[in-house]
Amino acid sequence: MTVLRLLRLTTPADFAAWYAAGRAYTTEVAEGMGFSGVDALDDDRTVERLRTAPDELTPAAARSVAATLLADGAFSEPYCEWLPTWYELALIAPVRYADRQLRKVAGRVAAGASVTATAPRFSRPADVFIDGEPALSRVSGFRGRFLLADSLLHLEWFDHVAAADEIDVPADLVARTREESLSYYGGDRDRLSPEVRRFQRHLFADDAWVRRVDDAYDLDSRLFGLWERLLRDERRRLEDA
């Protein structure tokens, strides 16, 4: 199977495993960093209600589900802009369709619990400068662009979803991680400070998210396999640093 199978997902129940992967990632990063508030939600109960009775989700659970799906939907198009043009052109149509489906389901979940949820505005290369130069001016090749994009966008994703889940993420750490990571992956910086490296090491565990989604939906996707390998290798490199 390929990622095209994901285009068949249309209902909250269809996205239960998808949300479970996102919530597991949020939980593991927060626990790894020792952020407070991670236990406010019952993950298993939330996933089960999303699968069987989405209109019975508590407001806190519905907000978590909606924010996670909205962030996932908004993530991919900006991500594509950081990568080579051939990659963006190949994926832009399914990415936009998936975004519409995720927004639709997130809206239904939020409305069912009478809560509001928003999608983050992810950074695009045209809006970012690194060490005073355009974001992609010193980065070449698919791997370099992929890691630069992920180092920034998974930070923005986590910060947004963690806030919806009422997890306390220090704003100064987010700001330092953004600044250092951009310069490290796309500029002149030769190393990350210990706390930022630790944060990025946990954030680069999104290889587990890729694997969970691939397994949950029986995709056996070469594309997902490539993503997982690049993310896992970078996480391990940061662990060894």
Side-chain angles (χ1 to χ4, degrees), residues 44-234:
D44 292 339
R45 186 176 180 84
T46 298
V47 171
E48 183 59 25
R49 282 192 173 179
L50 182 59
R51 183 177 289 114
T52 61
D55 293 334
E56 297 178 11
L57 287 165
T58 66
R63 188 177 297 109
S64 175
V65 172
T68 299
L69 298 185
L70 286 169
D72 286 344
F75 182 92
S76 294
E77 185 167 342
Y79 203 104
C80 285
E81 292 188 16
W82 288 88
L83 297 174
T85 302
W86 61 263
Y87 181 96
E88 181 179 3
L89 292 176
L91 289 183
I92 194 63
V95 156
R96 287 176 175 170
Y97 179 82
D99 183 18
R100 288 196 298 271
Q101 293 303 107
L102 286 160
R103 287 177 181 273
K104 186 182 300 183
V105 171
R108 174 179 165 182
V109 169
S114 300
V115 299
T116 59
T118 61
R121 185 181 183 278
F122 289 106
S123 297
R124 298 172 185 258
D127 304 324
V128 178
F129 289 83
I130 301 174
D131 299 340
E133 298 184 11
L136 294 175
S137 62
R138 300 182 186 177
V139 182
S140 62
F142 183 86
R143 180 181 179 276
R145 289 188 173 207
F146 184 93
L147 295 179
L148 171 60
D150 201 57
S151 72
L152 174 59
L153 271 62
H154 67 197
L155 172 66
E156 295 175 342
W157 186 99
F158 176 78
D159 189 38
H160 182 86
V161 173
D165 288 358
E166 298 186 351
I167 295 171
D168 185 18
V169 183
D172 65 319
L173 175 59
V174 172
R176 284 190 290 113
T177 300
R178 177 187 177 90
E179 180 182 2
E180 289 187 25
S181 298
L182 285 172
S183 185
Y184 179 68
Y185 286 100
D188 288 334
R189 191 180 185 94
D190 63 357
R191 69 185 63 188
L192 299 170
S193 63
E195 189 175 24
V196 169
R197 185 177 70 246
R198 178 180 168 221
F199 195 14
Q200 280 291 10
R201 173 168 58 84
H202 288 296
L203 289 168
F204 267 105
D206 40 6
D207 68 298
W209 181 94
V210 174
R211 184 171 61 257
R212 286 175 178 127
V213 171
D214 192 66
D215 290 346
Y217 295 100
D218 295 321
L219 301 179
D220 193 22
S221 166
R222 289 185 180 180
L223 181 60
F224 271 40
L226 172 62
W227 296 345
E228 182 182 356
R229 184 171 66 256
L230 291 172
L231 295 168
R232 182 184 62 241
D233 289 350
E234 182 60 15

